[in-house]
Amino acid sequence: MKKISRIEPVFPALPERKKVAAYARVSRDTERLMNSVSAQISHYSALIQNNPEWEYAGVYADCGISGTGAARRSEFLRMLADCEAGKINIILTKSISRFARNTVDLLETVRHLKSLGIEVRFEKEHINSLSEDGELMLSLLASFAQEESRSISENVKWGVRKRFQSGEIGTANKHILGYRYDEEMQKYTIIPEEAETVRRIFAMYLEGRSLREIAGELNASGLSTVKGCKFSEGSLNVMIGNEAYAGDIRRQKCFMEDPITKNKVPNKGQLPQYYMTDCHKAILDRATWEKVQAEIERRAASVNPAYSFTGKMKCGICGNCFTRKKGTVRGKTDVHWICRSKKETGMSCTSVNFSEEELKWISAQTLGMQGFDEVEFEKAVRGITVMESGDLEFRLVGGETKVWKNLHLDPPRHVATVTDCFQGKIRCAACGNTYHRVNGAGKWVYWYCIGKKRKNVECHNPNCTDYKLRQISAYMMGLEEFSEADFDERVASITAFQDGSLEFHFKEGRAKRWQRA
């Protein structure tokens, strides 16, 4: 008998369906934008479910959150976690700006998803992240999206500052003990029970009580802050300096340094502030408020005395602040300002030190003062940067910058110089004699008044090293480096004075005096 075998039909394997999700985002939770999110969710849900080759993996949506960072976008982070868990193969999104407005975040996220084999499709730009030119196009368009975010931020800040200038209150801090912010009236209204606590705090501070003592007593009494927390030294310190309790408002105490990083920093003169008086009913009378502010200053000065250069000087090498150092050597007290890195363990810095007297003299000369004036200095100078060269860059309040050039006249080691062009050109203002050169060993080449060696002549004018004379001469002639030829051509003579100053007499007839602190 013939054997008959049954042949089973072979059906081609169906392709595995792609797991597809969508992402939507709006930066504000207004009614119009919330409707936009709902429309996006409906659109993508229908689009994915109507495609037989796709498997619906959900729609992720963040509402009222900026796209400049990923940390606060909970749905975005949940979507990425699901991608890593293998629950998603394709992500659909309306545009690059909806996915991210930060170029770095966008590219890092897309590259990470690409390494997992996950594709991101941007509907508006028609970009597929797995295509050959996808990353290049993403880099360009993401940069535009980031700059657009920066531009929007600047426009918003401009509008806010204009409202400050016109005296409009605008958005206020709604969490202030003793007040509630009335949205309709756009001003603070007093909460009587809390206002009593505020007056109690200020009264205890004027009695001489410490912030720690005040916090302890308030917590023991069962009182709490406006957010229901216990009082602390930090919260009380903010309270006693808040001008709102006197009926005033100060605007732009802080500002956002970068719209991408969202880093908020204290405004220490970088931008104008706006102070508005009698904006609402005060909890404290003006006299009490001013007494408390004076007491704050008195306590701060006694604990951490401030000097003219405190907080003003910054190192141009390591970025640290300069600090005051006081020392006594052989009974003589010296005060210098040095980079804080030189005092901290494990750190070092090569920046130049300055004596306090020298800094005062330099400041007076740079700012055109007859003598150093602390009040005028505080008003005029925003900050000083000690450059790597030793020069001082003064940043003035009006935005102007002035530079004092450091000639490094007395370094511990310097190149030995022997200059012939000074012969016969330096005259002593005390006795009228000329200066002569002494050629010592190594760096000890200096010029001195010959009157010191003559009988019946008493002269105490200081000597000056050859190196120092060259440095000063180059500076007076406006040269980066000293040139004997230029000196011979331009300088007729130099007069040396007992205080160490030098007066240069130029051949064209003018005279210019150099003096160091």
Side-chain angles (χ1 to χ4, degrees), residues 2-231:
K2 290 183 179 180
K3 186 176 181 181
I4 300 172
S5 300
R6 181 177 177 178
I7 301 173
E8 298 290 341
V10 178
F11 297 101
L14 293 174
E16 186 180 351
R17 291 200 302 168
K18 298 284 187 181
K19 290 170 280 194
V20 182
Y23 178 73
R25 181 191 63 80
V26 292
S27 55
R28 288 183 293 170
D29 56 357
T30 61
E31 184 178 351
R32 181 178 65 82
L33 292 177
M34 293 302 290
N35 290 334
S36 172
V37 169
S38 299
Q40 288 183 59
I41 293 172
S42 300
H43 165 72
Y44 284 118
S45 296
L47 179 66
I48 297 168
Q49 291 173 8
N50 291 334
N51 191 324
E53 297 179 359
W54 289 352
E55 179 184 331
Y56 181 68
V59 178
Y60 302 80
D62 283 309
C63 302
I65 301 174
S66 169
T68 54
R72 294 176 59 242
R73 293 194 278 162
S74 58
E75 284 292 282
F76 185 79
L77 296 175
R78 188 170 71 88
M79 179 184 69
L80 295 182
D82 288 346
C83 287
E84 291 174 351
K87 297 179 181 179
I88 300 171
N89 301 122
I90 300 173
I91 298 172
L92 308 179
T93 188
K94 184 178 179 182
S95 67
I96 289 172
S97 62
R98 295 303 91 202
F99 198 75
R101 281 189 182 271
N102 184 325
T103 306
V104 175
D105 283 354
L106 174 72
L107 293 178
E108 284 183 352
T109 303
V110 169
R111 285 170 183 165
H112 177 58
L113 294 174
K114 190 174 181 179
S115 69
L116 298 173
I118 298 169
E119 175 186 346
V120 184
R121 296 182 184 179
F122 300 92
E123 184 180 356
K124 181 180 176 182
E125 294 85 3
H126 304 289
I127 293 176
N128 180 341
S129 65
L130 295 184
S131 65
E132 291 183 2
D133 59 350
E135 184 162 328
L136 175 61
M137 293 299 296
L138 280 173
S139 299
L140 293 172
L141 295 173
S143 297
F144 291 137
Q146 180 171 311
E147 287 309 308
E148 181 187 14
S149 178
R150 195 182 300 276
S151 176
I152 291 170
S153 174
E154 290 302 319
N155 290 338
V156 170
K157 286 190 280 190
W158 181 86
V160 170
R161 286 167 193 151
K162 283 296 179 184
R163 290 200 296 275
F164 289 164
Q165 289 175 8
S166 63
E168 295 180 44
I169 302 302
T171 306
N173 179 11
K174 299 175 178 62
H175 302 291
I176 300 179
L177 187 70
Y179 287 111
R180 291 295 179 275
Y181 188 74
D182 191 304
E183 296 287 353
E184 292 184 6
M185 298 172 61
Q186 288 200 344
K187 63 170 60 178
Y188 291 117
T189 56
I190 294 177
I191 307 300
E193 300 81 8
E194 293 182 4
E196 284 304 313
T197 303
V198 172
R199 295 188 187 99
R200 179 180 173 183
I201 290 168
F202 279 81
M204 285 192 286
Y205 190 78
L206 285 177
E207 290 171 3
R209 309 275 290 277
S210 70
L211 295 178
R212 180 178 294 182
E213 289 175 336
I214 297 171
E217 185 169 319
L218 294 173
N219 293 331
S221 302
L223 297 171
S224 61
T225 67
V226 70
K227 293 184 178 181
C229 303
K230 288 187 175 183
F231 284 97

Side-chain angles (χ1 to χ4, degrees), residues 359-376:
L359 275 176
K360 289 180 178 180
W361 181 86
I362 292 169
S363 300
Q365 292 292 309
T366 306
L367 300 174
M369 302 175 182
Q370 290 295 323
F372 183 75
D373 186 313
E374 289 189 24
V375 176
E376 289 302 314

Side-chain angles (χ1 to χ4, degrees), residues 298-343:
R298 187 195 69 77
R299 293 192 193 187
S302 63
V303 173
N304 187 21
Y307 303 93
S308 301
F309 303 104
T310 302
K312 294 272 190 184
M313 293 182 69
K314 183 179 178 182
C315 179
I317 299 175
C318 68
N320 226 326
C321 291
F322 266 56
T323 185
R324 194 173 190 262
K325 182 182 179 183
K326 190 175 181 181
T328 303
V329 179
R330 296 175 185 173
K332 183 184 177 183
T333 301
D334 292 314
V335 177
H336 284 79
W337 287 81
I338 67 171
C339 178
R340 186 179 292 277
S341 295
K342 296 181 180 181
K343 296 176 70 176

Side-chain angles (χ1 to χ4, degrees), residues 189-415:
T189 56
I190 294 177
I191 307 300
E193 300 81 8
E194 293 182 4
E196 284 304 313
T197 303
V198 172
R199 295 188 187 99
R200 179 180 173 183
I201 290 168
F202 279 81
M204 285 192 286
Y205 190 78
L206 285 177
E207 290 171 3
R209 309 275 290 277
S210 70
L211 295 178
R212 180 178 294 182
E213 289 175 336
I214 297 171
E217 185 169 319
L218 294 173
N219 293 331
S221 302
L223 297 171
S224 61
T225 67
V226 70
K227 293 184 178 181
C229 303
K230 288 187 175 183
F231 284 97
S232 65
E233 290 181 69
S235 62
L236 290 175
N237 190 47
V238 173
M239 276 190 64
I240 59 174
N242 196 334
E243 69 287 338
Y245 294 120
D248 304 339
I249 289 181
R250 185 189 297 276
R251 284 288 175 247
Q252 206 153 252
K253 294 178 183 178
C254 299
F255 67 96
M256 196 170 289
E257 192 174 37
D258 190 324
I260 305 303
T261 61
K262 307 291 185 186
N263 185 31
K264 186 179 282 189
V265 297
N267 184 3
K268 295 183 178 180
Q270 302 96 317
L271 295 173
Q273 293 189 352
Y274 304 89
Y275 197 93
M276 295 169 277
T277 57
D278 302 320
C279 300
H280 52 268
K281 191 173 180 181
I283 291 178
L284 302 172
D285 60 82
R286 188 72 61 178
T288 302
W289 165 256
E290 289 174 355
K291 284 180 183 177
V292 170
Q293 301 317 299
E295 177 63 12
I296 291 172
E297 290 184 9
R298 187 195 69 77
R299 293 192 193 187
S302 63
V303 173
N304 187 21
Y307 303 93
S308 301
F309 303 104
T310 302
K312 294 272 190 184
M313 293 182 69
K314 183 179 178 182
C315 179
I317 299 175
C318 68
N320 226 326
C321 291
F322 266 56
T323 185
R324 194 173 190 262
K325 182 182 179 183
K326 190 175 181 181
T328 303
V329 179
R330 296 175 185 173
K332 183 184 177 183
T333 301
D334 292 314
V335 177
H336 284 79
W337 287 81
I338 67 171
C339 178
R340 186 179 292 277
S341 295
K342 296 181 180 181
K343 296 176 70 176
E344 295 178 0
T345 306
M347 296 184 70
S348 62
C349 186
T350 57
S351 58
V352 177
N353 301 338
F354 290 89
S355 73
E356 191 165 76
E357 287 305 311
E358 186 178 23
L359 275 176
K360 289 180 178 180
W361 181 86
I362 292 169
S363 300
Q365 292 292 309
T366 306
L367 300 174
M369 302 175 182
Q370 290 295 323
F372 183 75
D373 186 313
E374 289 189 24
V375 176
E376 289 302 314
F377 177 83
E378 184 65 31
K379 289 180 181 177
V381 179
R382 180 180 294 169
I384 302 172
T385 301
V386 182
M387 311 301 286
E388 189 172 0
S389 62
D391 297 352
L392 295 180
E393 183 182 82
F394 287 76
R395 299 186 307 282
L396 307 186
V397 171
E400 186 183 357
T401 299
K402 290 187 176 183
V403 176
W404 173 82
K405 185 170 179 58
N406 192 334
L407 302 181
H408 300 279
L409 299 178
D410 302 305
R413 295 181 183 85
H414 63 74
V415 178

